[in-house]
Amino acid sequence: MKTIIGLEIHVQLSTATKLFCGCSTDYRDDEPNTHCCPICLGLPGALPRLNRKAVEYGLSVAKALNMKVPEVSEFARKNYFYPDLPKAYQITQYDKPLAVEGTVEIEDDEGHEKIVRITRVHLEEDPGRLVHVTGSSKYSLVDYNRSGIPLLEIVTEPDLRSPQEARRFLNKLRAILEYLGVFDGDREGALRVDANISLEGSERVEVKNISSYKGVEKALTFEVTRQKNLLRRGQKVVRETRHFMEGRGITTSARGKEEEYDYRYFPEPDLQPLRVADWMEKIKLPELPTARKNRFMEQYGISLNHARTLTGDPKLADFYEHVAPVDPILSATWVADILLGELNYRDMSISAVPPERFMELLALLRSGTITDKAGVQVLREMLNACAAGKPCEAPATIVKRENLAKAAGDEFTAIVQAVLAANPQAVSDYRAGKKGALNFLVGQVMKETRGRADPRELGRIVAECIDKSEV
Ligand SMILES: Nc1ncnc2c1ncn2[C@@H]1O[C@H](COP(=O)(O)OP(=O)(O)OP(=O)(O)O)[C@@H](O)[C@H]1O
Ligand SMILES: [Mg+2]
Ligand SMILES: [Mg+2]
């Protein structure tokens, strides 16, 4: 049964000030209701003044998503009565959005390139935030710091075919937004999604206001199962809005009147229509993820998978380009396959890693001073220090202190000799032609050197030592 998914994504644009007033958008650590004025509080008589930067950001997203812009775009009032919006209407866009008909390229579940069509993007203001206080007396508080933050709503066509595909789409979209510098992905609630899902031939359900990528995938996975089970039991899926309960990973019906609500949209009389077609021509785009991915493969000779991973986040891509001169391929492996995993494990961001120190580590690996295994140990020491807020030690210092340099010279020969002497049976088995005996001896040397010997060279060296010792 075909799964059909379409997303409506609300992105908080990272402008310095709000959409229709000069209040600062940087309110995260501040007291409630300290970033407000008569305009974003919606007091009678206050007039909106459009933030030019927000329109530019919106248009650059439209351009990056290959969208068409109309001659003229217009704001509209969406009327509803709720405490998160004291003026009783949201300024948004309705029949004349900023742009229409775009595309985003993603990978489908088989790993093939696929196009997801974008229906439209439009600007609107974020409402205030309600905090529901429960306890002996139940009441709600409202914080208008968020009221008037510019949102860009991005609506997709129902082109996504699985919850995993939806998540990959969101990752790609987030990468594009971060490359454009219009969005701060680290901010909580900076991206909120309404996920629409149906099984072919059935009604669709809309899961509202999911605030994480993982949440979108989880909510959709839950819905696929729920809807399939309904149909299996001979029941019908009803068209409805549902809420996602992040903690429990389930969706619940929100059957309310809001679905049939008539918003009585009409053009916003206090704002001029925008001539966006002319404006669009002046918008310049930076290099975007797909272009950067292709350049990485060409310029550094790295694999598609590495290029994809490394360009998924502009900070990661910058980091890679910084350290690549040591050795592009070795760097790609160490950043994409090893560093990323260690960062995720510690819930650390790439910005916490000093690239110069990482280059020193790469140089030690490249020169063969340490083995891969010891390299991972050094990296862990470095990251643990960073995570604890301590300065990052030089890799060479860690290597010295922990005695991690590759076993070499006399020290190494002594270890091999000692292992051979301690295992005469294995040595004679090897001489008698048993290949397995060599592996055993190599394993013993690895154990003695605690990973400081290079397993790739070790077999040859041990064999040589046996040949050289008395024949
Ligand atoms: N059969 C379907 N199955 C799943 N998703 C669908 C289906 N048809 C449409 N969609 C998706 O649902 C969304 C439709 O959003 P649209 O804004 O047009 O309608 P709405 O949800 O009724 O309105 P709004 O949420 O803005 O009040 C789009 O993302 C679209 O891709
Ligand atoms: Mg909307
Ligand atoms: Mg909707």
Side-chain angles (χ1 to χ4, degrees):
M1 206 178 315
K2 196 155 106 177
T3 305
I4 303 171
I5 297 170
L7 304 175
E8 296 162 73
I9 302 126
H10 296 89
V11 179
Q12 284 192 342
L13 298 176
S14 54
T15 53
T17 55
K18 292 185 179 180
L19 187 53
F20 299 120
C21 62
C23 291
S24 156
T25 55
D26 186 13
Y27 61 80
R28 251 67 180 189
D29 297 321
D30 294 341
E31 290 292 306
N33 299 309
T34 52
H35 290 252
C36 316
C37 73
I39 295 171
C40 57
L41 286 173
L43 299 188
L47 291 172
R49 221 176 94 195
L50 181 60
N51 183 335
R52 163 180 285 269
K53 203 83 200 166
V55 181
E56 274 171 17
Y57 281 5
L59 288 176
S60 67
V61 173
K63 200 162 197 170
L65 304 186
N66 313 304
M67 302 189 75
K68 293 185 186 146
V69 279
E71 225 22 70
V72 170
S73 173
E74 236 173 59
F75 286 94
R77 289 187 182 180
K78 177 180 179 177
N79 298 278
Y80 69 88
F81 189 65
Y82 200 63
D84 65 359
L85 202 68
K87 63 183 183 295
Y89 59 83
Q90 179 191 31
I91 304 181
T92 176
Q93 300 196 283
Y94 186 52
D95 53 355
K96 289 178 182 152
L98 219 47
V100 296
E101 290 179 45
T103 55
V104 172
E105 204 179 282
I106 62 160
E107 271 177 86
D108 67 13
D109 289 340
E110 275 80 48
H112 301 127
E113 300 286 339
K114 126 166 209 177
I115 298 290
V116 177
R117 290 167 302 156
I118 304 298
T119 316
R120 57 184 269 149
V121 302
H122 72 248
L123 284 167
E124 62 188 28
E125 54 181 340
D126 213 349
R129 194 172 68 90
L130 293 185
V131 182
H132 302 289
V133 181
T134 51
S136 53
S137 59
K138 292 189 177 127
Y139 58 96
S140 296
L141 296 168
V142 56
D143 176 8
Y144 294 112
N145 282 349
R146 201 182 74 180
S147 167
I149 298 285
L151 294 181
L152 189 71
E153 179 167 338
I154 303 171
V155 182
T156 79
E157 290 290 311
D159 285 349
L160 297 159
R161 289 293 167 268
S162 73
Q164 295 71 34
E165 214 173 276
R167 177 154 176 206
R168 278 199 299 280
F169 170 81
L170 288 172
N171 275 328
K172 181 69 183 276
L173 182 67
R174 187 206 49 195
I176 295 172
L177 296 169
E178 286 182 349
Y179 272 66
L180 293 171
V182 301
F183 161 77
D184 178 1
D186 296 335
R187 277 192 181 182
E188 200 181 315
L191 194 141
R192 307 195 296 271
V193 176
D194 298 342
N196 298 268
I197 173 162
S198 66
L199 299 175
E200 194 170 26
S202 284
E203 290 286 356
R204 81 169 146 108
V205 159
E206 177 165 4
V207 187
K208 283 262 191 215
N209 226 346
I210 314 169
S211 59
S212 72
Y213 313 106
K214 271 193 207 136
V216 172
E217 186 178 352
K218 263 206 236 163
L220 288 170
T221 305
F222 178 84
E223 272 303 307
V224 171
T225 311
R226 189 186 68 87
Q227 295 184 15
K228 279 191 177 157
N229 282 341
L230 281 175
L231 298 180
R232 199 171 296 135
R233 283 189 241 114
Q235 288 168 300
K236 280 208 166 102
V237 178
V238 287
R239 167 115 184 215
E240 63 176 346
T241 298
R242 296 179 72 88
H243 289 310
F244 178 53
M245 314 195 74
E246 183 101 50
R248 296 171 61 195
I250 63 166
T251 67
T252 54
S253 179
R255 243 166 261 163
K257 289 193 198 83
E258 56 181 317
E259 277 165 90
E260 304 107 65
Y261 203 91
D262 176 3
Y263 292 120
R264 297 181 294 115
Y265 282 98
F266 64 87
E268 166 60 61
D270 293 335
L271 289 164
Q272 295 278 330
L274 297 168
R275 302 214 151 269
V276 279
D278 296 345
W279 199 338
M280 186 70 156
E281 286 174 19
K282 297 186 197 116
I283 301 284
K284 299 259 182 301
L285 293 183
E287 186 182 39
L288 293 171
T290 305
R292 201 168 190 187
K293 177 193 78 189
N294 293 333
R295 176 168 67 78
F296 273 22
M297 287 194 288
E298 188 153 307
Q299 182 176 342
Y300 300 114
I302 63 177
S303 70
L304 171 64
N305 265 339
H306 278 161
R308 220 177 236 152
T309 306
L310 293 170
T311 54
D313 168 354
K315 288 196 220 86
L316 187 66
D318 290 345
F319 184 90
Y320 171 70
E321 293 215 85
H322 194 129
V323 305
V326 178
D327 178 326
I329 304 212
L330 182 77
S331 304
T333 305
W334 275 80
V335 176
D337 297 342
I338 298 166
L339 176 60
L340 259 194
E342 297 290 331
L343 289 175
N344 285 341
Y345 176 72
R346 290 170 181 74
D347 208 8
M348 276 172 77
S349 134
I350 186 74
S351 9
V353 186
E356 306 304 335
R357 288 288 186 233
F358 194 78
M359 287 171 88
E360 291 168 25
L361 172 62
L362 290 172
L364 293 176
L365 289 158
R366 191 183 141 85
S367 65
T369 311
I370 55 175
T371 62
D372 288 357
K373 196 165 168 208
V376 172
Q377 256 176 284
V378 174
L379 179 61
R380 286 181 180 158
E381 293 269 336
M382 290 163 65
L383 295 180
N384 288 343
C386 295
K390 291 190 217 139
C392 183
E393 262 181 309
T397 313
I398 301 174
V399 167
K400 209 163 185 187
R401 192 183 58 229
E402 306 287 325
N403 188 23
L404 289 169
K406 203 189 270 181
D410 292 347
E411 184 209 0
F412 186 57
T413 322
I415 293 173
V416 175
Q417 295 298 356
V419 166
L420 296 185
N423 296 282
Q425 186 60 46
V427 173
S428 56
D429 284 353
Y430 172 70
R431 286 217 172 97
K434 278 197 198 160
K435 283 267 150 28
L438 184 65
N439 291 339
F440 169 76
L441 291 167
V442 166
Q444 294 303 304
V445 178
M446 290 290 285
K447 210 163 120 192
E448 289 299 317
T449 57
R450 289 176 302 121
R452 290 187 298 123
D454 191 334
R456 284 167 299 204
E457 298 166 9
L458 206 50
R460 181 180 50 79
I461 295 173
V462 172
E464 273 173 18
C465 279
I466 296 176
D467 293 344
K468 268 191 254 159
S469 60
E470 93 280 15
V471 181

